[in-house]
Amino acid sequence: MKLSEARNLKKMIQEEVSHKIDVSLRYYQRLESGKSIPTIKIALRICKILEVSPFEIDEWQDDYFE
């Protein structure tokens, strides 16, 4: 599942998630686009808010970058 899909399932906008995990909107947008990889701490915050496992997020899987 894409990070944006997980966010949309929770009916949240990017700005809400970025605020809740205490990162800039631009950084969160880079996470959703797969241009940046979060630290473990940030990834776990995102997963807690979106109620998903980090293993479910496509952008964070090794084969996503191949």
Side-chain angles (χ1 to χ4, degrees), residues 29-42:
Q29 289 169 333
R30 291 183 59 83
L31 293 175
E32 277 200 5
S33 68
K35 293 179 181 173
S36 293
I37 300 295
T39 62
I40 293 172
K41 187 175 184 179
I42 291 174

Side-chain angles (χ1 to χ4, degrees), residues 2-41:
K2 293 203 169 285
L3 187 54
S4 60
E5 292 170 358
R7 177 180 51 78
N8 288 331
L9 286 173
K10 294 300 286 182
K11 296 183 175 24
M12 297 179 77
I13 61 172
Q14 290 178 333
E15 193 171 12
E16 287 177 286
V17 178
S18 67
H19 179 72
K20 287 182 182 249
I21 63 171
D22 199 28
V23 300
S24 71
L25 175 58
R26 180 71 184 127
Y27 178 66
Y28 183 77
Q29 289 169 333
R30 291 183 59 83
L31 293 175
E32 277 200 5
S33 68
K35 293 179 181 173
S36 293
I37 300 295
T39 62
I40 293 172
K41 187 175 184 179

